[in-house]
Amino acid sequence: MVVVSGADEVSDSTSPTPSYDRIKELREFDETKAGVKGLVDNGVDKVPRIFVHPPEALHDLPSRLGSTHSCRQTHLTIPVIDLLEATTSRRKEIVDKIQEASETWGFFQVVNHGIPQSVFEELLEGVRRFYDQDTEIKKQSYTRDLMGKKVIYNSNFDLYSSPAANWRDTLYCDMGPQPLDPQELPLVCREILMEYSKQVSKLGIALFELLSEALGLNPKHLIDMGCAEGLAILCHYYPACPQPELTLGTTKHSDNDFLTVLLQDQIGGLQVLHQNQWIDVSPTPGALIINIGDLLQLISNDTFKSIEHRVVARSIGTRISVACFFTTGVQSSTRVYGPIKELCSKDNPPVYRETTLKEYTLYFTAKGLDGTSALSHFKL
Ligand code: OGA
Ligand code: NI
């Protein structure tokens, strides 16, 4: 077992210039190839210092605010949109709701989206089966080589570039545009991941049509631009955390894609930054969470907002979520994306330069989750 010091052993564990060999401890953790789950399985009862976040990322955690937090709870929740109505004469109303949500919250939940709840349950179980496998088996797919395999399991894609590691492990599956050979997926969740991928791709098409209309464009506009072509499925595993007030499940960030479709289990912990307040996205059985990514903010010339969100660590139990990212990422072609011409005018000139999805993804990945925006780097 790797020897990592507990957070209480260094008085300045939250200092920005730690007085310990951080790289060495990161390597030791990485070399276990067992992720955060491995630490928890080994009975860790303190958060190792590589996971301790700086004070500015921790001061407003619910676990720090204690009982005062419940008094401060707001009634605000992200909008819920019933997609069944999009197939009726009330489509315009749905488009308006999606426009409003995308311009203000950058987040909404959808119900009646066509994916049965049994598929969600099977998917969450499949992901759990993957993580519950013997470490020796999982180790075989543990890698940081993004350009190599299409199915990657690791902990913290940005382990060596971010200021603090997150309390989570991830199984990353690159499902498109080049179809994935199902044999590359772990057997324990192969069938359900293929099924879910098919269903989410279909939902993605429907959402991009609604989003195109919400931008005042032809319904096929975003699809014709290739927004629905690439799909990556990220299966996150957030083990129960012994000291949730010292770390995060996921650092505050916005997503580096066009659109994200997120399924979370019943544990909770996802928060969205809205009007300078963290708003809980409480688990809603059967619903999916949709959020605008940086690239949709870029091509919509800031009309739609890619909003920051985070996942707080929890001591109550393991949390599983599955995030579907619409982008071709590093597999992308030379196609360039900039603000859509129809959305720009003399009064609303382009605010971003053109970029490729590969350039954007490599910049985002190299920077890591450090609490700052990647999008601003592309501002004119
Ligand atoms: C992400 C993300 C949230 C979650 O994958 O970008 O924000 O609930 N995930 O896991
Ligand atoms: Ni995200």
Side-chain angles (χ1 to χ4, degrees):
M1 188 198 140
V2 64
V3 182
V4 271
S5 314
D8 61 347
E9 288 174 31
V10 261
S11 55
D12 66 343
S13 64
T14 55
S15 136
T17 48
S19 57
Y20 69 97
D21 191 347
R22 179 170 174 83
I23 295 291
K24 179 167 169 280
E25 292 189 15
L26 290 171
R27 282 213 187 96
E28 283 171 349
F29 166 69
D30 206 16
E31 281 162 12
T32 67
K33 301 191 176 198
V36 178
K37 182 171 190 298
L39 297 175
V40 172
D41 288 347
N42 279 329
V44 79
D45 61 357
K46 295 206 173 57
V47 167
R49 54 192 166 183
I50 56 169
F51 294 93
V52 175
H53 283 245
E56 61 274 17
L58 299 172
H59 74 277
D60 56 2
L61 288 180
S63 52
R64 296 221 162 204
L65 299 170
S67 59
T68 55
H69 181 67
S70 50
C71 306
R72 282 177 10 124
Q73 285 275 353
T74 73
H75 60 282
L76 286 174
T77 53
I78 65 170
V80 179
I81 295 175
D82 185 344
L83 288 187
L84 196 61
E85 294 178 15
T87 58
T88 67
S89 56
R90 301 183 57 200
R91 185 172 176 89
K92 173 83 174 70
E93 270 170 63
I94 297 307
V95 168
D96 289 348
K97 279 189 191 168
I98 288 182
Q99 180 188 350
E100 163 91 16
S102 305
E103 289 179 0
T104 56
W105 285 89
F107 266 80
F108 49 94
Q109 302 213 57
V110 290
V111 294
N112 288 322
H113 39 62
I115 306 182
Q117 201 173 333
S118 58
V119 169
F120 295 162
E121 282 158 17
E122 279 176 47
L123 179 63
L124 295 171
E125 275 167 31
V127 174
R128 192 179 300 277
R129 278 197 301 274
F130 170 78
Y131 285 99
D132 278 348
Q133 291 175 112
D134 205 88
T135 306
E136 290 310 311
I137 292 174
K138 278 183 294 176
K139 268 184 186 172
Q140 295 164 13
S141 42
Y142 193 98
T143 176
R144 299 196 174 275
D145 181 12
L146 274 182
M147 301 298 246
K149 287 183 170 173
K150 288 186 156 202
V151 177
I152 287 172
Y153 151 66
N154 66 32
S155 184
N156 287 269
F157 75 95
D158 55 354
L159 188 67
Y160 297 102
S161 55
S162 65
N166 284 321
W167 202 256
R168 91 174 167 179
D169 302 327
T170 300
L171 172 68
Y172 167 97
C173 312
D174 178 0
M175 308 302 291
Q178 278 83 40
L180 175 81
D181 175 359
Q183 302 299 323
E184 291 190 51
L185 289 168
L187 184 59
V188 290
C189 50
R190 185 176 295 163
E191 218 174 298
I192 188 63
L193 276 171
M194 291 305 291
E195 174 63 21
Y196 191 61
S197 174
K198 208 169 75 190
Q199 303 237 14
V200 167
S201 301
K202 211 168 109 194
L203 174 62
I205 300 280
L207 289 168
F208 280 118
E209 286 177 356
L210 288 161
L211 289 160
S212 298
E213 289 174 55
L215 286 168
L217 302 166
N218 166 313
K220 292 281 179 240
H221 198 107
L222 294 173
I223 294 162
D224 291 344
M225 284 180 76
C227 296
E229 269 167 29
L231 180 65
I233 303 188
L234 281 72
C235 307
H236 299 304
Y237 189 93
Y238 300 86
C241 180
Q243 293 175 298
E245 67 284 2
L246 293 183
T247 188
L248 280 160
T250 308
T251 308
K252 167 176 100 168
H253 70 285
S254 57
D255 291 351
N256 64 331
D257 59 353
F258 290 108
L259 193 70
T260 308
V261 174
L262 178 80
L263 172 68
Q264 65 168 338
D265 71 6
Q266 77 297 344
I267 293 281
L270 176 66
Q271 297 187 320
V272 173
L273 198 57
H274 180 72
Q275 294 170 350
N276 232 7
Q277 270 192 80
W278 286 109
I279 307 293
D280 291 319
V281 183
S282 306
T284 308
L288 281 169
I289 300 155
I290 313 295
N291 66 284
I292 305 294
D294 291 354
L295 295 162
L296 195 46
Q297 176 165 341
L298 186 149
I299 63 172
S300 73
N301 206 35
D302 277 348
T303 305
F304 287 172
K305 305 292 188 306
S306 175
I307 295 294
E308 290 177 310
H309 49 286
R310 68 179 184 184
V311 179
V312 302
R314 288 273 165 101
S315 57
I316 51 174
T318 299
R319 175 176 187 269
I320 292 176
S321 70
V322 179
C324 294
F325 277 58
F326 283 94
T327 173
T328 51
V330 292
Q331 318 286 337
S332 79
S333 63
T334 49
R335 184 168 192 163
V336 290
Y337 287 91
I340 295 171
K341 302 271 180 304
E342 288 87 334
L343 302 180
C344 298
S345 63
K346 220 169 132 225
D347 298 333
N348 184 18
V351 281
Y352 297 102
R353 68 171 177 85
E354 292 185 326
T355 181
T356 63
L357 300 185
K358 183 171 179 174
E359 183 194 16
Y360 198 88
T361 307
L362 289 177
Y363 176 76
F364 183 98
T365 309
K367 189 170 86 66
L369 302 186
D370 61 0
T372 69
S373 155
L375 192 56
S376 56
H377 178 75
F378 295 81
K379 278 223 146 121
L380 282 170

